[in-house]
Amino acid sequence: MRFRQVHLDFHTSEAIEGIGSSFSKKQFQEMLMLGRVDSITVFAKCHHGWAYHPSKANDMHPQLDFDLLGAQIEAAHEINVLTPIYISAGLDEKLARRRPQWLIRDQQEKLNWASDFMSAGYHQFCMNTPYLDVLVEQVAEVVRSYDADGIFLDIVGIRKCYCQFCVAKIRERGSDPRNLADMKLMWEETYHTYTKRINETIHGIKRNLPIFHNSGHITRGRRDLAHKNTHLELESLPTGGWGYDHFPLSARYAQTLGMNVLGMTGKFHESWGEFGGYKHPNALRYETALSLANGSGCSIGDQLHPAGLMDKATYSLIGAAYKEVEAKEAWCTDTSAISEIALLSFEAISSFTRAEGQRVNKYADVGAARVLLEGHYLFDVIDMEADFSPYKVIILPDAIVNSDLLMQKINAFLAGGGKLLASGKSGLDEEETSFAWDFGANWNGMADSCPSYFLPEFPLQALEQASFVMYTEAQHISLADAGIAHGTREDSYFNRDLFTFCSHRHTPSTLQPAGIGMSEGKDGIYIAWNVFEEYATKGSLHVKEMVCFALDQLLPNKKLVTNLPAQGITTLQAQPAANRWINHLLYAAPVKRGLDIEVIEDLLPLRNIEVAIEAQEPVQEVYLAPQLAPLPFTQADGIVRYTVPEWACHQMIVLQF
C-alpha cells in the first residue's frame, strides 16, 4: 500500500459530449507530480453504467472515442504511479432502465436510492439476480485486459431486498418473505456469494491483486466482512456529513484488525460529486496527518472533468498536503498502536449478538471516542474477537448486552489485573437482574426520574461543585459493602408532563439523595447514566469530567500525559523494525459553516506542549520528525519527559531506543 493516493471519480452522463477530448498524457502526469501522488484509482465503469474502455462485457460511453482507462494507466505507470481500477458494482443506471426487474425493492416495491424513474438519481441492483453474472464478466474483462494494481468495487454490502428474485428464492427454501430472520440470513448469503464470485474471478486471473468492496462503513464487530477485502479504505469525508470525529473512531478499530488501511477523505468543500468545490489547504494537511497518526495511508477524493482535463487547483491543493506526507512516510510504515484502554464497541456487540429488537444506541461509541480523544487517552476500539489482555481498562459503554462469551473474556481480563468502566445497563448479568461484576454497588432497576442530577464527591477541574443535570435515563443503584461512592444521584421533583411541569425545560433537583450516581468496587467503576450517549448528544463538560475522573482512578499511572488542549489529538505508534516509538500530536479547531458543514481553516501554532511517556527501556534520543531536530528530554523512574516548543497542525516526536 502506498501513502499518497487519489480516488478519481468519473461518473459522467451520456448527455455530455466530448468525453475525454482534452485528455493529455503530459498534463495528466504533470498534475500527478504536482500533487505528489503515488497511486490513483481510475475508472473502468461509473454509476451511469458506462465503460471508459473498449468492452465486450459492457457498453463504452457513447461520447468517448478512445481507451481512456488504458491511456490513464499507461501515463501513470510511466511515472511510477500505481493504478487501482474502479468499477461501480451496485449501480448501473444504463442497465437499470433496461432491466428494472433486477433492482432492489422494498416490501412496497419501492426502488432503492432514487425512488422512481421520474426523478434524477441512481437505482441499486440486487446481487441475487442475473445482474451478478453481468458484473462478474465486466470485472473479469478489466482484470484480463489491463495492468491493474487493485480493484475497487463500489456501493456494495448486505442489502435488504424484496425483489421477486429474492421472494422466489426464499420460497424455494420453504420459507416466507414475511419471515425476517430467514430474509436476513439470505441477504447475508447474497453478499457472501457476490464477494466469493468476484474475489475468485479476480484472483483466478491475477493472483494476490488487492481488492476492496466499498460499503461506506467498516462495521465494527464484522471481521468476516472486513476480511472479504485484502485491505481497508475508510471512507470518511468530514465535510460530507461524517464530521471530524468519525475517522478516529473508525481507524482506532481498523488498526486492530491487522490489515493495511487507507484513510479516505476528499478535496471537496462538501462531498462527492462536487465540481468547483475546494477545501482550505490546511484542512487536507490536518486530515492526511490524522490518517498517519492512526496508522493509515492517505486517499483523497477528486472528480475528473468530463473532458478528461485534470484540475490544477485540485492538485496544487493535494500537493500541499502530500508534500508533508511524503516527508513523514519513513516514520509511518509498518506501525502498530500502543494503547492501554479498549473501548468495547456497542456496534461490535450488536453485530456479535445480532439480537432481534435490541435497542441500538448509535451514540455510545461516538460519545466514548470523543471523551477518549479529548482526554488524550491511548485507546483502541475492539470487538468480541479481540484479545483483551493487553489493556489495563476496558470500557463497556451504556448498553453492552452480556453473554457467556463476554463473561468468560471479562473474567479472564479481570483475573489478569484489568479494570472495567461501565455505564447505563452495561455490566449487568444476562438476565439484567444484578451486576455481573463488583462495582461496589447493587442494581435496583431503572430510576423513575428523567432527567435526574449528579452530585459528585470529587472536585471537577473546570467547574464548581453543583448538582449537574443528566438528560439520559438512569439506573437506580445503592452502595454495596466495601463499595466506594464517587457521587450521588438526585431526582427532579417530577418528570415533565401535562399537569406536572416547571419552567421551560425540566424540573429542578430536589437536592436530596436518591441513590448512588458513581460507584467503585474491586472490578472497576460504574456510572448510573448513559454518559456516552449523553456526551455525544449534549456535550456537557461535567459529563466528560465524570468519565475522565473514573478513567484516572482506574489508570493512576497513565502511559501518556500531556497538556495538549482538548481539541488536540495524540497517538503513540510503535515501529518495531526501527526500534522506536512515534508520538503524534495534532491540533485543529473545526468550525461550523453553512448549516452543517465542519471546516478547518486556521491552524494556530501551539507552544510548550509537554509530554510524559512511560518507557522502561532506555531511550537513546528524542527528536522531531521529519525535521530531524534533536529534542531535549529526561528519563527517570521509567518516565520520558519532553516539551515541544512550537508547532502547528501535526508534529511527530520520535523516541529512539
Side-chain angles (χ1 to χ4, degrees):
M1 297 291 292
R2 292 190 173 178
F3 277 89
R4 291 168 278 121
Q5 181 155 304
V6 161
H7 186 97
L8 187 65
D9 260 11
F10 196 53
H11 303 295
T12 308
S13 169
E14 62 276 11
I16 298 177
E17 297 180 352
I19 302 303
S21 58
S22 297
F23 175 80
S24 157
K25 176 193 284 190
K26 181 175 182 293
Q27 198 261 352
F28 188 75
Q29 292 175 332
E30 286 174 348
M31 292 303 102
L32 295 181
M33 290 186 286
L34 177 64
R36 295 176 181 263
V37 176
D38 60 12
S39 178
I40 184 166
T41 302
V42 290
F43 264 43
K45 176 193 173 188
C46 71
H47 290 345
H48 292 275
W50 302 112
Y52 294 93
H53 59 93
S55 175
K56 294 181 180 178
N58 196 2
D59 296 333
M60 192 162 87
H61 196 292
Q63 307 293 345
L64 177 68
D65 60 9
F66 71 102
D67 185 352
L68 178 59
L69 174 64
Q72 289 174 324
I73 292 172
E74 179 185 346
H77 284 178
E78 275 189 10
I79 58 171
N80 192 30
V81 174
L82 299 183
T83 55
I85 295 178
Y86 176 102
I87 296 172
S88 181
L91 304 177
D92 184 326
E93 194 59 19
K94 159 182 54 64
L95 193 60
R97 292 182 177 272
R98 299 174 186 173
R99 295 286 186 270
Q101 68 272 28
W102 294 354
L103 298 174
I104 289 175
R105 308 268 175 169
D106 68 10
Q107 289 166 296
Q108 286 73 45
E109 286 291 311
K110 290 182 180 177
L111 297 170
N112 187 273
W113 281 45
S115 59
D116 53 48
F117 281 104
M118 300 305 292
S119 305
Y122 303 114
H123 302 84
Q124 192 171 190
F125 277 88
C126 175
M127 297 296 181
N128 207 10
T129 70
Y131 173 69
L132 180 56
D133 298 324
V134 173
L135 179 63
V136 167
E137 283 304 308
Q138 293 173 347
V139 172
E141 180 183 62
V142 167
V143 178
R144 285 192 205 101
S145 304
Y146 294 96
D147 186 13
D149 296 304
I151 299 293
F152 184 106
L153 297 118
D154 204 9
I155 320 297
V156 289
I158 298 168
R159 302 290 192 249
K160 297 179 181 179
C161 183
Y162 290 90
C163 74
Q164 292 308 307
F165 289 88
C166 288
V167 170
K169 187 169 184 177
I170 203 72
R171 295 191 69 194
E172 287 171 6
R173 297 181 174 190
S175 188
D176 187 303
R178 291 165 291 189
N179 185 323
L180 183 58
D182 285 356
M183 291 298 287
K184 284 185 173 181
L185 181 61
M186 185 182 71
W187 297 330
E188 293 251 353
E189 290 175 358
T190 297
Y191 184 61
H192 173 76
T193 299
Y194 152 78
T195 55
K196 185 172 187 291
R197 285 193 62 187
I198 291 291
N199 291 358
E200 288 179 350
T201 296
I202 292 171
H203 288 155
I205 300 168
K206 191 169 184 179
R207 188 176 177 83
N208 299 323
L209 190 67
I211 303 171
F212 181 66
H213 304 273
N214 186 39
S215 300
H217 176 62
I218 305 302
T219 305
R220 295 183 287 279
R222 293 301 306 270
R223 294 192 182 204
D224 57 329
L225 300 182
H227 287 290
K228 292 182 183 299
N229 307 288
T230 60
H231 66 284
L232 300 177
E233 302 194 28
L234 307 183
E235 187 178 2
S236 184
L237 279 62
T239 56
W242 283 263
Y244 277 95
D245 288 335
H246 178 269
F247 179 76
L249 174 58
S250 185
R252 294 308 331 122
Y253 175 66
Q255 201 180 8
T256 69
L257 301 182
M259 303 175 71
N260 287 326
V261 179
L262 284 176
M264 179 187 287
T265 184
K267 69 92 178 182
F268 316 104
H269 171 65
E270 288 191 286
S271 192
W272 297 109
E274 180 185 45
F275 289 102
Y278 302 90
K279 276 190 174 124
H280 193 285
N282 284 342
L284 278 187
R285 290 177 59 207
Y286 177 79
E287 290 160 23
T288 53
L290 189 61
S291 286
L292 298 181
N294 284 281
S296 303
C298 308
S299 178
I300 299 175
D302 178 29
Q303 181 156 246
L304 183 66
H305 188 276
L309 196 65
M310 299 279 272
D311 180 49
K312 186 174 181 180
T314 292
Y315 288 87
S316 296
L317 178 66
I318 291 172
Y322 276 172
K323 180 180 180 181
E324 296 184 13
V325 172
E326 186 176 19
K328 298 170 183 175
E329 290 175 11
W331 294 273
C332 301
T333 303
D334 298 326
T335 59
S336 58
I338 298 174
S339 300
E340 54 187 348
I341 296 173
L343 168 61
L344 182 58
S345 164
F346 177 82
E347 180 181 86
I349 290 292
S350 300
S351 299
F352 173 75
T353 59
R354 305 187 196 179
E356 288 298 317
Q358 181 175 318
R359 183 174 70 88
V360 176
N361 180 351
K362 65 179 181 179
Y363 296 112
D365 290 352
V366 172
R370 284 182 185 171
V371 172
L372 291 165
L373 288 167
E374 293 174 16
H376 308 130
Y377 296 96
L378 300 177
F379 72 100
D380 288 336
V381 179
I382 63 169
D383 58 21
M384 285 294 292
E385 295 184 56
D387 179 5
F388 289 9
S389 64
Y391 304 103
K392 297 177 182 177
V393 174
I394 291 178
I395 298 175
L396 308 178
D398 292 354
I400 299 295
V401 175
N402 214 332
S403 65
D404 287 342
L405 178 59
L406 181 58
M407 282 285 294
Q408 293 171 16
K409 296 194 73 163
I410 291 289
N411 288 341
F413 169 73
L414 294 171
K419 297 289 184 181
L420 299 176
L421 172 58
S423 61
K425 283 195 172 181
S426 296
L428 297 178
D429 58 22
E430 287 188 77
E431 293 75 29
E432 295 190 355
T433 58
S434 62
F435 285 119
W437 299 286
D438 183 356
F439 296 113
N442 302 307
W443 185 77
N444 303 311
M446 296 284 298
D448 295 327
S449 183
C450 187
S452 53
Y453 294 80
F454 177 65
L455 179 63
E457 295 185 10
F458 54 87
L460 278 68
Q461 295 181 14
L463 298 166
E464 294 291 332
Q465 298 298 96
S467 296
F468 296 101
V469 65
M470 303 293 292
Y471 288 99
T472 55
E473 62 186 18
Q475 309 298 313
H476 178 36
I477 64 170
S478 56
L479 201 63
D481 293 342
I484 301 171
H486 291 302
T488 303
R489 178 178 60 83
E490 298 174 353
D491 287 340
S492 59
Y493 285 96
F494 39 74
N495 291 340
R496 191 174 181 86
D497 199 3
L498 176 62
F499 300 112
T500 53
F501 68 89
C502 179
S503 190
H504 299 293
R505 294 182 61 81
H506 50 265
T507 311
S509 171
T510 64
L511 303 179
Q512 300 300 314
I516 302 300
M518 183 190 298
S519 64
E520 182 173 358
K522 72 177 182 65
D523 293 333
I525 291 178
Y526 173 79
I527 303 174
W529 292 269
N530 291 352
V531 285
F532 300 111
E533 175 189 359
E534 176 122 352
Y535 196 63
T537 57
K538 302 295 184 182
S540 301
L541 177 59
H542 65 269
V543 174
K544 179 170 72 172
E545 292 214 0
M546 289 168 65
V547 176
C548 289
F549 168 81
L551 289 172
D552 291 345
Q553 286 290 112
L554 299 173
L555 274 176
N557 300 305
K558 289 170 64 177
K559 182 79 174 177
L560 185 151
V561 177
T562 179
N563 63 345
L564 196 62
Q567 284 298 117
I569 291 177
T570 187
T571 66
L572 188 61
Q573 299 281 338
Q575 199 175 35
N579 196 25
R580 62 194 179 199
W581 292 351
I582 298 89
N583 174 211
H584 293 262
L585 301 176
L586 298 98
Y587 181 77
V591 297
K592 190 174 180 181
R593 297 276 172 82
L595 295 177
D596 59 357
I597 298 175
E598 293 182 23
V599 302
I600 289 173
E601 183 171 345
D602 298 319
L603 291 174
L604 301 178
L606 296 187
R607 296 178 177 86
N608 298 324
I609 296 302
E610 301 170 1
V611 180
I613 296 178
E614 179 195 19
Q616 298 299 326
E617 184 180 348
V619 171
Q620 185 180 63
E621 62 175 329
V622 174
Y623 62 92
L624 302 177
Q627 302 96 315
L628 301 178
L631 191 65
F633 73 98
T634 63
Q635 184 173 17
D637 301 322
I639 305 294
V640 177
R641 301 179 189 275
Y642 49 83
T643 299
V644 186
E646 182 171 334
W647 59 281
C649 186
H650 178 219
Q651 181 61 64
M652 298 186 298
I653 302 95
V654 180
L655 284 70
Q656 182 67 58
F657 296 103

PDB file of all heavy atoms in Angstrom, residues 45 57 87-90 95 127 130-141 153 156 194 198 201:
ATOM      1  N   LYS A  45     -15.682   1.711 -14.949  1.00  0.00           N
ATOM      2  CA  LYS A  45     -17.146   1.781 -15.087  1.00  0.00           C
ATOM      3  C   LYS A  45     -17.687   2.709 -14.014  1.00  0.00           C
ATOM      4  O   LYS A  45     -17.272   2.636 -12.855  1.00  0.00           O
ATOM      5  CB  LYS A  45     -17.764   0.390 -14.931  1.00  0.00           C
ATOM      6  CG  LYS A  45     -19.288   0.358 -14.967  1.00  0.00           C
ATOM      7  CD  LYS A  45     -19.818  -0.985 -14.495  1.00  0.00           C
ATOM      8  CE  LYS A  45     -21.341  -0.942 -14.373  1.00  0.00           C
ATOM      9  NZ  LYS A  45     -21.863  -2.176 -13.742  1.00  0.00           N
ATOM     10  N   ALA A  57     -18.072  -6.817 -22.609  1.00  0.00           N
ATOM     11  CA  ALA A  57     -18.937  -7.148 -21.471  1.00  0.00           C
ATOM     12  C   ALA A  57     -19.829  -5.979 -21.083  1.00  0.00           C
ATOM     13  O   ALA A  57     -20.761  -6.144 -20.298  1.00  0.00           O
ATOM     14  CB  ALA A  57     -18.074  -7.558 -20.272  1.00  0.00           C
ATOM     15  N   ILE A  87     -14.678   0.096 -10.303  1.00  0.00           N
ATOM     16  CA  ILE A  87     -15.833  -0.453 -11.006  1.00  0.00           C
ATOM     17  C   ILE A  87     -17.062  -0.204 -10.136  1.00  0.00           C
ATOM     18  O   ILE A  87     -17.113  -0.632  -8.982  1.00  0.00           O
ATOM     19  CB  ILE A  87     -15.669  -1.963 -11.281  1.00  0.00           C
ATOM     20  CG1 ILE A  87     -14.487  -2.201 -12.225  1.00  0.00           C
ATOM     21  CG2 ILE A  87     -16.949  -2.551 -11.854  1.00  0.00           C
ATOM     22  CD1 ILE A  87     -14.135  -3.667 -12.405  1.00  0.00           C
ATOM     23  N   SER A  88     -18.031   0.504 -10.660  1.00  0.00           N
ATOM     24  CA  SER A  88     -19.293   0.677  -9.947  1.00  0.00           C
ATOM     25  C   SER A  88     -20.026  -0.657  -9.983  1.00  0.00           C
ATOM     26  O   SER A  88     -20.452  -1.109 -11.046  1.00  0.00           O
ATOM     27  CB  SER A  88     -20.135   1.770 -10.596  1.00  0.00           C
ATOM     28  OG  SER A  88     -21.343   1.934  -9.890  1.00  0.00           O
ATOM     29  N   ALA A  89     -20.161  -1.278  -8.831  1.00  0.00           N
ATOM     30  CA  ALA A  89     -20.761  -2.609  -8.768  1.00  0.00           C
ATOM     31  C   ALA A  89     -22.258  -2.550  -8.473  1.00  0.00           C
ATOM     32  O   ALA A  89     -23.060  -3.205  -9.134  1.00  0.00           O
ATOM     33  CB  ALA A  89     -20.048  -3.449  -7.707  1.00  0.00           C
ATOM     34  N   GLY A  90     -22.643  -1.743  -7.497  1.00  0.00           N
ATOM     35  CA  GLY A  90     -24.043  -1.721  -7.079  1.00  0.00           C
ATOM     36  C   GLY A  90     -24.936  -0.856  -7.934  1.00  0.00           C
ATOM     37  O   GLY A  90     -26.161  -0.993  -7.888  1.00  0.00           O
ATOM     38  N   LEU A  95     -28.158   0.158 -17.297  1.00  0.00           N
ATOM     39  CA  LEU A  95     -28.772  -1.161 -17.234  1.00  0.00           C
ATOM     40  C   LEU A  95     -30.045  -1.149 -16.393  1.00  0.00           C
ATOM     41  O   LEU A  95     -30.955  -1.956 -16.624  1.00  0.00           O
ATOM     42  CB  LEU A  95     -27.769  -2.162 -16.661  1.00  0.00           C
ATOM     43  CG  LEU A  95     -28.114  -3.649 -16.801  1.00  0.00           C
ATOM     44  CD1 LEU A  95     -28.256  -4.032 -18.274  1.00  0.00           C
ATOM     45  CD2 LEU A  95     -27.054  -4.502 -16.129  1.00  0.00           C
ATOM     46  N   MET A 127     -27.917  -8.329  -5.954  1.00  0.00           N
ATOM     47  CA  MET A 127     -26.925  -9.314  -6.394  1.00  0.00           C
ATOM     48  C   MET A 127     -27.493 -10.732  -6.396  1.00  0.00           C
ATOM     49  O   MET A 127     -26.770 -11.696  -6.666  1.00  0.00           O
ATOM     50  CB  MET A 127     -25.685  -9.248  -5.506  1.00  0.00           C
ATOM     51  CG  MET A 127     -24.950  -7.924  -5.564  1.00  0.00           C
ATOM     52  SD  MET A 127     -24.270  -7.585  -7.201  1.00  0.00           S
ATOM     53  CE  MET A 127     -23.473  -5.999  -6.903  1.00  0.00           C
ATOM     54  N   PRO A 130     -29.724 -11.988 -12.118  1.00  0.00           N
ATOM     55  CA  PRO A 130     -28.712 -12.202 -13.176  1.00  0.00           C
ATOM     56  C   PRO A 130     -27.728 -11.054 -13.332  1.00  0.00           C
ATOM     57  O   PRO A 130     -26.726 -11.201 -14.043  1.00  0.00           O
ATOM     58  CB  PRO A 130     -29.567 -12.367 -14.438  1.00  0.00           C
ATOM     59  CG  PRO A 130     -30.880 -12.885 -13.952  1.00  0.00           C
ATOM     60  CD  PRO A 130     -31.106 -12.208 -12.623  1.00  0.00           C
ATOM     61  N   TYR A 131     -27.969  -9.935 -12.657  1.00  0.00           N
ATOM     62  CA  TYR A 131     -27.009  -8.830 -12.723  1.00  0.00           C
ATOM     63  C   TYR A 131     -25.631  -9.270 -12.249  1.00  0.00           C
ATOM     64  O   TYR A 131     -24.618  -8.805 -12.785  1.00  0.00           O
ATOM     65  CB  TYR A 131     -27.493  -7.653 -11.872  1.00  0.00           C
ATOM     66  CG  TYR A 131     -26.463  -6.545 -11.769  1.00  0.00           C
ATOM     67  CD1 TYR A 131     -26.141  -5.759 -12.877  1.00  0.00           C
ATOM     68  CD2 TYR A 131     -25.766  -6.309 -10.578  1.00  0.00           C
ATOM     69  CE1 TYR A 131     -25.172  -4.766 -12.804  1.00  0.00           C
ATOM     70  CE2 TYR A 131     -24.800  -5.313 -10.501  1.00  0.00           C
ATOM     71  CZ  TYR A 131     -24.502  -4.547 -11.604  1.00  0.00           C
ATOM     72  OH  TYR A 131     -23.542  -3.576 -11.530  1.00  0.00           O
ATOM     73  N   LEU A 132     -25.559 -10.159 -11.276  1.00  0.00           N
ATOM     74  CA  LEU A 132     -24.260 -10.593 -10.771  1.00  0.00           C
ATOM     75  C   LEU A 132     -23.434 -11.241 -11.875  1.00  0.00           C
ATOM     76  O   LEU A 132     -22.216 -11.040 -11.943  1.00  0.00           O
ATOM     77  CB  LEU A 132     -24.441 -11.554  -9.587  1.00  0.00           C
ATOM     78  CG  LEU A 132     -23.153 -12.092  -8.961  1.00  0.00           C
ATOM     79  CD1 LEU A 132     -22.227 -10.969  -8.507  1.00  0.00           C
ATOM     80  CD2 LEU A 132     -23.469 -13.028  -7.789  1.00  0.00           C
ATOM     81  N   ASP A 133     -24.077 -12.022 -12.760  1.00  0.00           N
ATOM     82  CA  ASP A 133     -23.349 -12.633 -13.875  1.00  0.00           C
ATOM     83  C   ASP A 133     -22.774 -11.562 -14.797  1.00  0.00           C
ATOM     84  O   ASP A 133     -21.635 -11.673 -15.274  1.00  0.00           O
ATOM     85  CB  ASP A 133     -24.281 -13.548 -14.674  1.00  0.00           C
ATOM     86  CG  ASP A 133     -24.813 -14.700 -13.849  1.00  0.00           C
ATOM     87  OD1 ASP A 133     -24.058 -15.216 -13.006  1.00  0.00           O
ATOM     88  OD2 ASP A 133     -25.982 -15.076 -14.030  1.00  0.00           O
ATOM     89  N   VAL A 134     -23.566 -10.520 -15.049  1.00  0.00           N
ATOM     90  CA  VAL A 134     -23.111  -9.421 -15.894  1.00  0.00           C
ATOM     91  C   VAL A 134     -21.899  -8.733 -15.261  1.00  0.00           C
ATOM     92  O   VAL A 134     -20.890  -8.463 -15.924  1.00  0.00           O
ATOM     93  CB  VAL A 134     -24.257  -8.405 -16.110  1.00  0.00           C
ATOM     94  CG1 VAL A 134     -23.749  -7.165 -16.852  1.00  0.00           C
ATOM     95  CG2 VAL A 134     -25.406  -9.055 -16.871  1.00  0.00           C
ATOM     96  N   LEU A 135     -22.002  -8.454 -13.958  1.00  0.00           N
ATOM     97  CA  LEU A 135     -20.923  -7.764 -13.254  1.00  0.00           C
ATOM     98  C   LEU A 135     -19.646  -8.586 -13.243  1.00  0.00           C
ATOM     99  O   LEU A 135     -18.547  -8.052 -13.467  1.00  0.00           O
ATOM    100  CB  LEU A 135     -21.363  -7.444 -11.821  1.00  0.00           C
ATOM    101  CG  LEU A 135     -20.340  -6.748 -10.938  1.00  0.00           C
ATOM    102  CD1 LEU A 135     -19.979  -5.376 -11.494  1.00  0.00           C
ATOM    103  CD2 LEU A 135     -20.859  -6.627  -9.500  1.00  0.00           C
ATOM    104  N   VAL A 136     -19.761  -9.879 -13.002  1.00  0.00           N
ATOM    105  CA  VAL A 136     -18.578 -10.744 -12.975  1.00  0.00           C
ATOM    106  C   VAL A 136     -17.850 -10.691 -14.312  1.00  0.00           C
ATOM    107  O   VAL A 136     -16.610 -10.615 -14.362  1.00  0.00           O
ATOM    108  CB  VAL A 136     -18.972 -12.187 -12.602  1.00  0.00           C
ATOM    109  CG1 VAL A 136     -17.820 -13.151 -12.874  1.00  0.00           C
ATOM    110  CG2 VAL A 136     -19.384 -12.267 -11.138  1.00  0.00           C
ATOM    111  N   GLU A 137     -18.578 -10.704 -15.409  1.00  0.00           N
ATOM    112  CA  GLU A 137     -17.949 -10.628 -16.730  1.00  0.00           C
ATOM    113  C   GLU A 137     -17.262  -9.282 -16.937  1.00  0.00           C
ATOM    114  O   GLU A 137     -16.179  -9.210 -17.531  1.00  0.00           O
ATOM    115  CB  GLU A 137     -18.993 -10.869 -17.824  1.00  0.00           C
ATOM    116  CG  GLU A 137     -19.366 -12.328 -17.988  1.00  0.00           C
ATOM    117  CD  GLU A 137     -18.144 -13.207 -18.269  1.00  0.00           C
ATOM    118  OE1 GLU A 137     -17.370 -12.886 -19.194  1.00  0.00           O
ATOM    119  OE2 GLU A 137     -17.940 -14.197 -17.541  1.00  0.00           O
ATOM    120  N   GLN A 138     -17.880  -8.201 -16.461  1.00  0.00           N
ATOM    121  CA  GLN A 138     -17.261  -6.881 -16.590  1.00  0.00           C
ATOM    122  C   GLN A 138     -15.957  -6.808 -15.802  1.00  0.00           C
ATOM    123  O   GLN A 138     -14.945  -6.279 -16.293  1.00  0.00           O
ATOM    124  CB  GLN A 138     -18.235  -5.805 -16.102  1.00  0.00           C
ATOM    125  CG  GLN A 138     -19.461  -5.648 -16.983  1.00  0.00           C
ATOM    126  CD  GLN A 138     -20.492  -4.694 -16.391  1.00  0.00           C
ATOM    127  OE1 GLN A 138     -20.411  -4.324 -15.217  1.00  0.00           O
ATOM    128  NE2 GLN A 138     -21.472  -4.302 -17.200  1.00  0.00           N
ATOM    129  N   VAL A 139     -15.973  -7.352 -14.591  1.00  0.00           N
ATOM    130  CA  VAL A 139     -14.774  -7.349 -13.757  1.00  0.00           C
ATOM    131  C   VAL A 139     -13.682  -8.202 -14.399  1.00  0.00           C
ATOM    132  O   VAL A 139     -12.510  -7.796 -14.481  1.00  0.00           O
ATOM    133  CB  VAL A 139     -15.102  -7.848 -12.339  1.00  0.00           C
ATOM    134  CG1 VAL A 139     -13.828  -8.047 -11.522  1.00  0.00           C
ATOM    135  CG2 VAL A 139     -16.049  -6.880 -11.628  1.00  0.00           C
ATOM    136  N   ALA A 140     -14.047  -9.389 -14.857  1.00  0.00           N
ATOM    137  CA  ALA A 140     -13.068 -10.297 -15.463  1.00  0.00           C
ATOM    138  C   ALA A 140     -12.416  -9.646 -16.683  1.00  0.00           C
ATOM    139  O   ALA A 140     -11.199  -9.755 -16.892  1.00  0.00           O
ATOM    140  CB  ALA A 140     -13.749 -11.607 -15.851  1.00  0.00           C
ATOM    141  N   GLU A 141     -13.206  -8.966 -17.504  1.00  0.00           N
ATOM    142  CA  GLU A 141     -12.671  -8.318 -18.700  1.00  0.00           C
ATOM    143  C   GLU A 141     -11.623  -7.270 -18.337  1.00  0.00           C
ATOM    144  O   GLU A 141     -10.558  -7.191 -18.968  1.00  0.00           O
ATOM    145  CB  GLU A 141     -13.811  -7.669 -19.480  1.00  0.00           C
ATOM    146  CG  GLU A 141     -13.364  -6.965 -20.755  1.00  0.00           C
ATOM    147  CD  GLU A 141     -14.519  -6.288 -21.455  1.00  0.00           C
ATOM    148  OE1 GLU A 141     -15.127  -5.365 -20.852  1.00  0.00           O
ATOM    149  OE2 GLU A 141     -14.824  -6.675 -22.605  1.00  0.00           O
ATOM    150  N   LEU A 153     -14.431  -1.931  -5.840  1.00  0.00           N
ATOM    151  CA  LEU A 153     -15.828  -2.138  -6.217  1.00  0.00           C
ATOM    152  C   LEU A 153     -16.711  -1.330  -5.272  1.00  0.00           C
ATOM    153  O   LEU A 153     -16.601  -1.452  -4.050  1.00  0.00           O
ATOM    154  CB  LEU A 153     -16.179  -3.623  -6.169  1.00  0.00           C
ATOM    155  CG  LEU A 153     -15.364  -4.452  -7.174  1.00  0.00           C
ATOM    156  CD1 LEU A 153     -14.501  -5.464  -6.448  1.00  0.00           C
ATOM    157  CD2 LEU A 153     -16.263  -5.121  -8.193  1.00  0.00           C
ATOM    158  N   VAL A 156     -21.602  -1.594  -2.463  1.00  0.00           N
ATOM    159  CA  VAL A 156     -21.937  -2.991  -2.212  1.00  0.00           C
ATOM    160  C   VAL A 156     -22.031  -3.209  -0.704  1.00  0.00           C
ATOM    161  O   VAL A 156     -21.542  -2.412   0.085  1.00  0.00           O
ATOM    162  CB  VAL A 156     -20.887  -3.946  -2.815  1.00  0.00           C
ATOM    163  CG1 VAL A 156     -20.969  -3.952  -4.330  1.00  0.00           C
ATOM    164  CG2 VAL A 156     -19.479  -3.576  -2.357  1.00  0.00           C
ATOM    165  N   TYR A 194     -21.733 -12.886  -3.668  1.00  0.00           N
ATOM    166  CA  TYR A 194     -21.166 -11.821  -4.506  1.00  0.00           C
ATOM    167  C   TYR A 194     -19.659 -11.700  -4.289  1.00  0.00           C
ATOM    168  O   TYR A 194     -18.874 -11.719  -5.254  1.00  0.00           O
ATOM    169  CB  TYR A 194     -21.869 -10.490  -4.206  1.00  0.00           C
ATOM    170  CG  TYR A 194     -20.987  -9.287  -4.453  1.00  0.00           C
ATOM    171  CD1 TYR A 194     -20.754  -8.815  -5.740  1.00  0.00           C
ATOM    172  CD2 TYR A 194     -20.342  -8.648  -3.390  1.00  0.00           C
ATOM    173  CE1 TYR A 194     -19.911  -7.732  -5.968  1.00  0.00           C
ATOM    174  CE2 TYR A 194     -19.509  -7.569  -3.607  1.00  0.00           C
ATOM    175  CZ  TYR A 194     -19.287  -7.116  -4.890  1.00  0.00           C
ATOM    176  OH  TYR A 194     -18.440  -6.056  -5.106  1.00  0.00           O
ATOM    177  N   ILE A 198     -16.697 -12.634  -7.048  1.00  0.00           N
ATOM    178  CA  ILE A 198     -15.835 -11.550  -7.527  1.00  0.00           C
ATOM    179  C   ILE A 198     -14.372 -11.827  -7.175  1.00  0.00           C
ATOM    180  O   ILE A 198     -13.473 -11.718  -8.013  1.00  0.00           O
ATOM    181  CB  ILE A 198     -16.288 -10.201  -6.944  1.00  0.00           C
ATOM    182  CG1 ILE A 198     -17.631  -9.770  -7.531  1.00  0.00           C
ATOM    183  CG2 ILE A 198     -15.225  -9.134  -7.183  1.00  0.00           C
ATOM    184  CD1 ILE A 198     -17.617  -9.389  -8.981  1.00  0.00           C
ATOM    185  N   THR A 201     -12.932 -14.693  -9.154  1.00  0.00           N
ATOM    186  CA  THR A 201     -12.734 -14.289 -10.541  1.00  0.00           C
ATOM    187  C   THR A 201     -11.458 -13.462 -10.682  1.00  0.00           C
ATOM    188  O   THR A 201     -10.623 -13.718 -11.563  1.00  0.00           O
ATOM    189  CB  THR A 201     -13.946 -13.474 -11.036  1.00  0.00           C
ATOM    190  OG1 THR A 201     -15.107 -14.303 -11.022  1.00  0.00           O
ATOM    191  CG2 THR A 201     -13.708 -12.946 -12.438  1.00  0.00           C
TER     192      THR A 201
END
